[in-house]
Amino acid sequence: MTANHVFILDHPLVSHHLSALRDRATRPSEFRALVSRLAMLIGVHATEDIPMQEVEVQTPITTTTCEQLNAEIAIVPVLRAGLGMVDPLLELIPDASVWHLGLYRNEETAEPVGYYDKLPHSNAADVALVLDPMLATGGSIELVVRRLQRWGVSDIRVLSIIAAQPGLDRVARDFPDVKIYVAAVDPSLNENAFIVPGLGDAGDRIFDTPQSE
């Protein structure tokens, strides 16, 4: 763990999958599979301190005490790239609810613009897992966190595959209580606000759409 609740995964499998994910020659089908694998690894780490409760379970042999999740969990993918991380999280937490927030990038300012919001305004989840493969400037995450706070969520966790240090610093500074889980931190952004070295546009590579120029 680094300061300000930032957790960087240090694991051989993470490094191995990241190397293929960054490769421009990786085909879309394999890219999607890699995003899924990394999302599951990050998801396991990001949920290791979820509240639990004891329950009595009848096994084929006897009764025993076990533990089960004791929290309402919301999975919040940031459209569209965040959709590539949803299925592995639902594999881990099948009873979680999924709420979508749509943002697109203004190509002139590199700032996010909201266009879709299906979050409710009451009965807030106990824990929100925000899914966005790339944390670049931090602008999108800022909008999402503020919206979740208005919903009333007190435990917000951001799951990204790659974060740029400037964006990571911005989110950690503005939201010191938000936990951030990433597979890698890259040093900078280029003039177009893309992460360097990064992996390009995650949404385009997941959905095999033309790369942004």
Side-chain angles (χ1 to χ4, degrees), residues 136-197:
T137 66
S140 295
I141 295 301
E142 179 177 353
L143 290 181
V144 173
V145 169
R146 293 195 188 283
R147 178 64 180 88
L148 289 169
Q149 289 176 335
R150 290 199 301 275
W151 185 21
V153 182
S154 58
D155 188 343
I156 301 171
R157 308 179 184 204
V158 176
L159 284 64
S160 291
I161 294 175
I162 298 177
Q165 190 64 55
L168 198 63
D169 292 342
R170 173 181 176 177
V171 176
R173 180 191 67 240
D174 294 345
F175 306 103
D177 294 330
V178 170
K179 296 178 181 178
I180 305 171
Y181 299 84
V182 298
V185 177
D186 286 356
S188 61
L189 299 166
N190 65 15
E191 64 277 8
N192 296 315
F194 280 93
I195 299 175
V196 179

Side-chain angles (χ1 to χ4, degrees), residues 109-123:
T109 65
E111 288 298 314
V113 179
Y115 68 90
Y116 187 84
D117 181 346
K118 281 297 182 180
L119 284 180
H121 293 275
S122 60
N123 300 316

Side-chain angles (χ1 to χ4, degrees), residues 83-140:
L83 293 174
M85 300 174 69
V86 171
D87 286 349
L89 266 295
L90 283 175
E91 285 289 325
L92 294 173
I93 318 168
D95 291 330
S97 57
V98 181
W99 302 96
H100 300 86
L101 285 173
L103 304 171
Y104 71 88
R105 183 170 114 144
N106 183 313
E107 295 300 333
E108 293 183 359
T109 65
E111 288 298 314
V113 179
Y115 68 90
Y116 187 84
D117 181 346
K118 281 297 182 180
L119 284 180
H121 293 275
S122 60
N123 300 316
D126 300 310
V127 181
L129 304 177
V130 179
L131 309 183
D132 195 351
M134 309 296 282
L135 197 169
T137 66
S140 295

Side-chain angles (χ1 to χ4, degrees), residues 6-112:
V6 177
F7 300 80
I8 304 170
L9 274 68
D10 182 12
H11 193 285
L13 289 178
V14 171
S15 299
H16 174 77
H17 295 319
L18 267 174
S19 68
L21 196 71
R22 291 185 188 272
D23 190 340
R24 65 183 299 175
T26 297
R27 295 175 300 175
S29 58
E30 179 60 14
F31 189 90
R32 287 190 288 269
L34 290 163
V35 167
S36 180
R37 292 172 198 144
L38 285 164
M40 183 166 285
L41 289 168
I42 297 169
V44 169
H45 190 50
T47 54
E48 63 184 4
D49 61 346
I50 293 290
M52 304 292 290
Q53 65 178 349
E54 290 189 349
V55 296
E56 292 293 321
V57 172
Q58 180 68 50
T59 78
I61 308 302
T62 187
T63 300
T64 189
T65 300
C66 299
E67 287 190 317
Q68 293 181 351
L69 294 177
N70 185 30
E72 292 293 326
I73 300 174
I75 295 172
V76 185
V78 179
L79 301 179
R80 66 182 167 147
L83 293 174
M85 300 174 69
V86 171
D87 286 349
L89 266 295
L90 283 175
E91 285 289 325
L92 294 173
I93 318 168
D95 291 330
S97 57
V98 181
W99 302 96
H100 300 86
L101 285 173
L103 304 171
Y104 71 88
R105 183 170 114 144
N106 183 313
E107 295 300 333
E108 293 183 359
T109 65
E111 288 298 314

